[in-house]
Amino acid sequence: MALSKKEREVLYTKYDGRCAYCGGLLKKGWHADHIEAIVRDFKYNKEKSRFETTSTCRKPENEKLENYNPACASCNIQKNSFTIEEFRYNIKKFVASLNKNSTQYKFAKRYGLIQENDIPVTFYFERVEANQNTYN
Ligand SMILES: [Zn+2]
């Protein structure tokens, strides 16, 4: 199910035009993320030698406006079909991965250009909800 133009407008305003995850301003081409994945079915396209999504999904019950978050393209692509907690866990692992695999990252850190912060990964929507609970 694709969202209607009106539903996309409603979703856009959910966090005042910001990505529910990183909080960045949504730009043209922003994504409507399924909070709980619908898990699309894939089919192998022999001519193109790649998997492609089909029009069917394994969790059609998650296809509802309440299950959408507005997201920037990069957050949506990175979240993929992971749950919120899996997405948080994956982000948390990025620093260890960079320390293990990226020479550029390690050099930048060695020369003081990068400072790591061992803090919990908090999503924008969680900060918004925490502020609402503080002031209401
Ligand atoms: Zn984002």
Side-chain angles (χ1 to χ4, degrees):
M1 176 193 89
L3 294 178
S4 68
K5 189 174 180 183
K6 178 72 180 167
E7 288 171 323
R8 273 186 71 87
E9 286 173 13
V10 170
L11 186 60
Y12 182 86
T13 62
K14 189 171 180 180
Y15 297 107
D16 298 323
R18 292 185 176 275
C19 172
Y21 302 106
C22 70
L25 287 171
L26 295 173
K27 297 176 183 168
K28 189 176 181 198
W30 62 275
H31 290 197
D33 171 60
H34 289 92
I35 299 168
E36 290 185 38
I38 58 169
V39 190
R40 294 183 199 282
D41 286 327
F42 290 88
K43 186 177 177 183
Y44 192 72
N45 183 327
K46 284 183 182 176
E47 292 174 15
K48 296 180 180 174
S49 299
R50 68 179 187 203
F51 284 95
E52 295 178 340
T53 56
T54 68
S55 59
T56 59
C57 65
R58 292 179 216 163
K59 294 191 175 181
E61 68 274 16
N62 289 340
E63 195 67 89
K64 54 190 175 193
L65 188 57
E66 311 84 71
N67 187 40
Y68 278 95
N69 261 339
C72 68
S74 62
C75 280
N76 184 243
I77 291 166
Q78 197 63 239
K79 182 174 173 283
N80 201 326
S81 60
F82 294 110
T83 66
I84 299 281
E85 292 312 313
E86 289 167 337
F87 184 37
R88 187 190 319 275
Y89 177 76
N90 290 343
I91 294 170
K92 189 73 177 176
K93 288 191 314 188
F94 286 168
V95 175
S97 176
L98 286 166
N99 276 311
K100 185 178 177 192
N101 302 316
S102 173
T103 301
Q104 290 175 330
Y105 178 84
K106 287 184 270 190
F107 261 86
K109 186 174 144 186
R110 188 182 307 156
Y111 284 89
L113 301 173
I114 292 172
Q115 181 183 352
E116 293 177 6
N117 297 303
D118 188 17
I119 57 173
V121 173
T122 308
F123 295 116
Y124 183 72
F125 75 87
E126 294 169 324
R127 296 195 300 270
V128 168
E129 289 169 8
N131 284 339
Q132 286 171 344
N133 291 337
T134 303
Y135 299 114
N136 288 347

